[in-house]
Amino acid sequence: MKDGRFARRVFIGAGIYGLVGLLPLFFMERRFVELFPPALSHPEFFYGFAGVALAWQVAFLVIGSDPVRFRPLMLPAVLEKVTYGGAVVALAIQGRTALPLVGTAVIDLVLALLFAAAFLRTRASSGGLRL
């Protein structure tokens, strides 16, 4: 499957999943604080995280629209998933974050593996960067 069908499915699925999971954050600040006290002292970090994460979901949809063309973007997509997933796991081990967040971290780490597999299974296009 060197034509990108696997990558298309992975990235479009991840993008849709992410949009469904992240869009509600913009309307849940109060609920988030109830679930994960204390109150947000810097809400700009909360909304900044939600906004950057939302932008990546759109990027996943773009990658999924033409995986061969956007293959080089798959590597930063892996990094995006590993940084969040790895950080949450490390913080959970240290007892510095809520355990329910580990589930989201595991999902991101699985997606990182799927993104890496998509990168390896998708052939490089004839032009541009050939990683």
Side-chain angles (χ1 to χ4, degrees), residues 16 22-23 27 31-32 35 37 41 68 72 75 82 106 118 124 127 130:
I16 292 169
L22 287 167
L23 278 173
F27 309 100
R31 181 71 176 134
F32 184 85
L35 293 171
S41 59
V68 173
L75 295 176
V82 168
V106 170
R130 290 179 175 238

Side-chain angles (χ1 to χ4, degrees), residues 56 63 66-78 119 122-125 127-131:
W56 269 107
I63 294 166
D66 191 347
V68 173
R69 178 177 176 202
F70 295 112
R71 184 175 183 261
L73 287 175
M74 292 181 191
L75 295 176
V78 171
F119 177 81
T122 303
R123 65 174 172 74
S125 64
L129 186 61
R130 290 179 175 238
L131 298 175

Side-chain angles (χ1 to χ4, degrees), residues 37-127:
L40 297 174
S41 59
H42 292 280
E44 65 273 16
F45 291 138
F46 175 82
Y47 290 106
F49 165 79
V52 170
L54 186 67
W56 269 107
Q57 306 321 300
V58 174
F60 300 155
L61 295 173
V62 170
I63 294 166
S65 74
D66 191 347
V68 173
R69 178 177 176 202
F70 295 112
R71 184 175 183 261
L73 287 175
M74 292 181 191
L75 295 176
V78 171
L79 181 62
E80 186 270 342
K81 292 298 179 192
V82 168
T83 54
Y84 174 76
V88 170
V89 168
L91 290 168
I93 289 169
Q94 296 171 16
R96 296 178 57 201
T97 195
L99 285 180
L101 291 177
V102 174
T104 64
V106 170
I107 292 168
D108 269 20
L109 293 173
V110 168
L111 285 171
L113 291 173
L114 290 171
F115 288 0
F119 177 81
L120 294 173
R121 292 178 63 167
T122 303
R123 65 174 172 74
S125 64
S126 59

